[in-house]
Amino acid sequence: MNKEILLQLKGMNAGYGGLRILHDVNIQVDEGEVVAIMGPNGAGKSTVLKTFFGMTEIQSGSVKWRDKKIDPVPHEVVRMGVSYVPQGRRVFRYLTVEENLEIGAYVVKDKKEVRRRIEEVMDIFPDLKAKRKEKSVNLSGGQQQMLAIARGLMTDPHILLLDEPTLGLSPKLVKTVFAKIKEINERRNMAVVIVEHNLKSLLGIVDRAYVLDHGKVVIEDTAESLASSDALERVFLGTYNKRK
Amino acid sequence: MDYIMHLSVLVGVYAILGLSLNLVVGYSGLLSLAHAAFYGVGAYGSAILMKDFGFSFLSAVVLSVLITMAVGVLIGLVLSKFDGDYYALASLGFSVIAFGVFLNWRDLTNGAFGIFGIPKPEIFGYKFLAGEPYAFLVLLAVIFTFLICYFVVNSSFGRVLKAIREDEKALQVFGYKTTLYKLAVFVISAGLAGFAGTLYGSYISFIDPGGFDDLVSVNLIVVVILGGLASLNGSLLGAAFFVLLPELLRFVGMPDSITGQMRQMIYGLGLIALMMYRPQGILGKFRL
Ligand SMILES: Nc1ncnc2c1ncn2[C@@H]1O[C@H](COP(=O)(O)OP(=O)(O)O)[C@@H](O)[C@H]1O
Ligand SMILES: [Mg+2]
């Protein structure tokens, strides 16, 4: 196993307006890998993804892309091949499904290529195909989430960052979404970072997992080993550090 | 008949102001109270260019629209540092500043006395006098403005504006430099307001700072919201309503001396009622 490190936070201290949220966070994502970031509400999971994208205040530490330090700004990070699907299915409700996808492909300048990718993601999410001309306000919650993910795929990224993609979805839909993500990961060799609050079923599709608590990485482990221990439960019960 | 033509010209000027402001407020979701500043810069610009520098109407219009757009760039750049309520307050500040400049830069604007004797437009030897000719000119200007706005909001640029209005942060994630889009629409809107100012000055032939104070900005916001946010037809309706309301009051027998104040009050009440029952405005598609 000699995979290249794609994206990395090193000794990251970051937050908002002088406030420190992340404390000495080290997270790395290798090429083609699926990584979970889990932890209680307010632990700083979304802040980690935003930091990759230059949407937080970096106080010290570094963001690295393919082992080179970068100064992340959204429009540059997208062009490097990182795609970010923020929390809360933020689709543009008054634009159609297709228009949403076109917006996602902003950095792709070749119009024909954009058309091709729209067809490609619609093959992955057939529900969207039937609704392509519909305003996305008319989609169900699950379909909006699919659209948000599909829109994130339009740049054909090397790495996809997903913030709580299953929030508010039925267990059955959660399974579908995870299956799709895994399928895309394998088909495109695209790395994925999935943030979820506390969802053991996520461990079934990831290679490694980080658990965050109060802005610190408290666990870094393989999916199998985390799935078979009670460490995750202990973090949520607030008893993890006490036994360590 | 002249009276009707007079009202038509005023409705037309307000329609151009409303349409252009709707690009910023309705389609992009930026509550700008700076519009009177651009209206004034356009009016003063063309008046001064024609009277003091002997420019023809058309070249004065083109140049003062460009000047207004340049001022729009400066103000827009400052405003891009603000969000939400602060944006509205800061933009109102620019209306106040502009009024102060019109009032106090006496060498250029003649201060509180205003500028008299602004020439009527003469285009290819034809002089547009008050009455039907001017109303026709303004009608052309409204159609021109409407087409520009129609094109802007229905282009892919307009689609991005609507997305900014909905969720600017989410848009940045795809690589859009949203600040540039906001600045661009602000400058287009400023230029059109300047255009309205040039038409107004030449029509009325006398301008003074009071015609471009911060209350004008507030009234224009009401025109846009009342008519309907993100609806071009709504802005036409709002402009007609604003200009014709005092006439309507006079028509029902209200003395001239209070129609002005009554308009302000009815306007205020109308706005409150609208915010309660139909916050997107009469023909609007979006609420602030
Ligand atoms: N824009 C912001 N400004 C200030 N504080 C924020 C902002 N966003 C999040 N926070 C704070 O940062 C902490 C971590 O939030 P977040 O990263 O959203 O956690 P999680 O995604 O794990 O639930 C919380 O205490 C939250 O209140
Ligand atoms: Mg979160």
Side-chain angles (χ1 to χ4, degrees), chain B residues 122-134:
Chain B
E122 201 177 310
I123 301 172
F124 304 124
Y126 181 80
K127 197 156 187 172
F128 288 86
L129 297 174
E132 280 90 349
Y134 213 101

Side-chain angles (χ1 to χ4, degrees), chain B residues 7-25:
Chain B
L7 292 178
S8 310
V9 169
L10 295 184
V11 170
V13 168
Y14 267 82
I16 296 173
L17 290 168
L19 287 168
S20 55
L21 186 57
N22 211 341
L23 292 182
V24 171
V25 180

Side-chain angles (χ1 to χ4, degrees), chain A residues 12 16 48 66 70 86 97 99 106 133 151 159 161 180 190 195 230:
Chain A
M12 180 55 67
Y16 311 92
V48 165
R66 295 191 190 279
I70 59 165
V97 167
E99 287 170 341
Y106 175 65
K133 299 284 180 204
R151 194 176 54 177
I159 177 167
L161 312 176
K180 294 278 184 203
M190 176 189 70
V195 162
D230 63 348

Side-chain angles (χ1 to χ4, degrees), chain A residues 38-68:
Chain A
M38 300 170 88
N41 267 326
K45 306 180 297 294
S46 298
T47 304
V48 165
L49 297 193
K50 284 191 254 175
T51 302
F52 281 132
F53 242 76
M55 298 174 96
T56 60
E57 177 189 273
I58 295 177
Q59 292 152 356
S60 68
S62 56
V63 182
K64 286 184 156 187
W65 171 252
R66 295 191 190 279
D67 220 26
K68 254 179 55 197

Side-chain angles (χ1 to χ4, degrees), chain A residues 45-46 87 163-164:
Chain A
K45 306 180 297 294
S46 298
Q87 196 167 346
D163 200 343
E164 306 216 21

Side-chain angles (χ1 to χ4, degrees), chain A residues 98 102 110-120 132-133 154:
Chain A
E98 259 185 356
E102 281 166 16
D110 180 358
K111 284 273 177 318
K112 258 169 69 190
E113 178 63 17
V114 173
R115 301 313 311 166
R116 195 188 66 73
R117 289 189 193 177
I118 288 180
E119 298 314 317
E120 195 177 65
R132 62 196 301 160
K133 299 284 180 204
M154 289 298 292

